[in-house]
Amino acid sequence: MNTVIVPVDFSETSLHAARYAAQLLTGHYGVTMILYHSYGKSSEAAQATEDLEQLKAMLMKDNVVKMETLAHEESDFVDGLEKAARHRRADLVIMGITGKSAITQVFFGSNTLKMAERKVCPVLIVPEKAAFSPIKNVMLTSDFKNTLNTTPSAPIKDFLDVFNPQLHVVNVDKDHYISLTEDYENEKQELKKLFADYKPEFYFMRLYDVDEAINLFAESRNIDMIIAIQKNHSFIGKLLSGSRTKTLSYHSKMPILVMHE
C-alpha cells in the first residue's frame, strides 16, 4: 500500500475520518496520505489550499505520517474523488460517515456510500463513533460461494501485510446446522489455502439477521475492522446496498473496508 486519499469537506465527519486515517497510518513510512478537497468556484482555490495545509499541519503535530494535500475545482464531489484516486493510483480511500441530520454531514455520508459502490479502489468507511485502536483483529465476511473467483485476495493481502492483524473469516447463513455441507467445506479449504500465510480462523453462524450476527461476532472477538466484499447476489452484496448499507455503516462503531470482487 503506497497511496491513501482522505477527502475532507471540513465537516466534523470528514475531520474525524482524517484524524482516524492519520493515526492508522502513523509509522507506516512507505505510505503517503493525501488530504483531498474539491471546490466549486475558481475563486475558492486559495482558501481551499490554505485550509488543507492548516489541517495537514495540525494532523502532523500528533502523528508521524507522510502527508500531501490536493485541491482542485470540480462540480461533482464523487466524480472528482474518483478521478483523483485513478490519477494518483490510490490503494485506498478513507471516508467518514454519520447518522446525524445536519445537511453537510448527510451529504458527505451519502457521497461515502456512492464512492464505496464505484470500482476504483477499496474504501474504508469510518463511522462517527469509531474510535481509533490498533488493527489487531479483522473480520472478513464471505458468502463461501465461488470464493477463488470472487475474493479480491490481492488488495486484502496488501492490507493484511501492512497491519498484520489476526484474520477471522465469518459466514452467516440461516441453514447452517451442526456440520458444514460438502460445498461449504470445499470453499473453506480454498480460502484457507488462499490466506494460508495469515493463519485465518473460520466461523459459521446460523442466524437469520446478518446485521445482528456481524455485530455480535465483532463485539465478542474485539474486532477492530470489518472487510466486506461487494458482489452481486450475495448476502454481503445485499449488506452493502440500499437501506442495509445505511444501517451497518451509519450505526457501526468500527470501520468497514469495502472491496469489490
Side-chain angles (χ1 to χ4, degrees), residues 21-40:
Q23 290 176 288
L24 178 69
L25 300 174
T26 285
H28 298 284
Y29 303 107
V31 181
T32 299
M33 173 177 160
I34 300 176
L35 293 171
Y36 168 85
H37 177 72
S38 62
Y39 49 88

Side-chain angles (χ1 to χ4, degrees), residues 33-236:
M33 173 177 160
I34 300 176
L35 293 171
Y36 168 85
H37 177 72
S38 62
Y39 49 88
K41 301 177 183 178
S42 56
S43 59
E44 299 171 348
Q47 187 63 54
T49 299
E50 181 181 345
D51 290 344
L52 281 180
E53 289 297 331
Q54 288 179 356
L55 176 58
K56 172 185 171 182
M58 181 187 71
L59 292 173
M60 292 188 70
K61 284 182 180 178
D62 301 317
N63 303 281
V64 182
V65 56
K66 183 180 178 183
M67 201 176 301
E68 299 177 1
T69 62
L70 174 62
H72 66 76
E73 185 176 348
E74 181 62 54
S75 58
D76 185 280
F77 178 86
V78 178
D79 286 345
L81 178 55
E82 180 177 356
K83 290 176 187 176
R86 292 188 187 280
H87 291 168
R88 294 299 184 102
R89 297 182 179 179
D91 301 290
L92 179 67
V93 169
I94 299 179
M95 301 181 71
I97 201 166
T98 181
K100 293 183 179 179
S101 58
I103 292 175
T104 55
Q105 293 177 330
V106 170
F107 174 74
F108 199 76
S110 65
N111 280 330
T112 298
L113 298 177
K114 288 177 183 177
M115 188 63 190
E117 292 173 354
R118 302 202 179 184
K119 298 180 179 180
V120 183
C121 66
V123 175
L124 179 59
I125 300 174
V126 182
E128 61 177 341
K129 294 181 180 179
F132 175 77
S133 62
I135 308 301
K136 296 180 180 179
N137 290 285
V138 169
M139 179 202 309
L140 170 62
T141 57
S142 174
D143 61 4
F144 280 69
K145 293 179 176 139
N146 193 21
T147 52
L148 282 183
N149 293 324
T150 61
T151 302
S153 58
I156 292 175
K157 289 179 179 179
D158 286 345
F159 183 85
L160 296 176
D161 286 340
V162 172
F163 299 102
N164 195 32
Q166 173 61 54
L167 177 62
H168 304 267
V169 184
V170 179
N171 174 265
V172 181
D173 194 301
K174 63 182 177 60
D175 294 324
H176 284 317
Y177 290 97
I178 296 175
S179 61
L180 295 179
T181 64
E182 182 178 350
D183 288 340
Y184 272 100
E185 184 60 41
N186 289 338
E187 295 291 346
K188 173 186 174 182
Q189 295 306 319
E190 294 287 4
L191 275 178
K192 191 173 182 179
K193 292 177 185 176
L194 191 63
F195 294 109
D197 292 342
Y198 308 96
K199 298 179 174 58
E201 297 179 0
F202 292 85
Y203 308 83
F204 297 86
M205 304 177 68
R206 184 174 181 255
L207 286 173
Y208 289 85
D209 191 317
V210 176
D211 300 340
E212 179 186 4
I214 288 177
N215 285 326
L216 286 173
F217 183 88
E219 290 179 6
S220 67
R221 297 285 173 170
N222 296 316
I223 297 299
D224 302 300
M225 186 175 293
I226 298 171
I227 299 178
I229 301 171
Q230 187 167 12
K231 53 190 289 191
N232 295 326
H233 311 300
S234 69
F235 89 88
I236 200 61

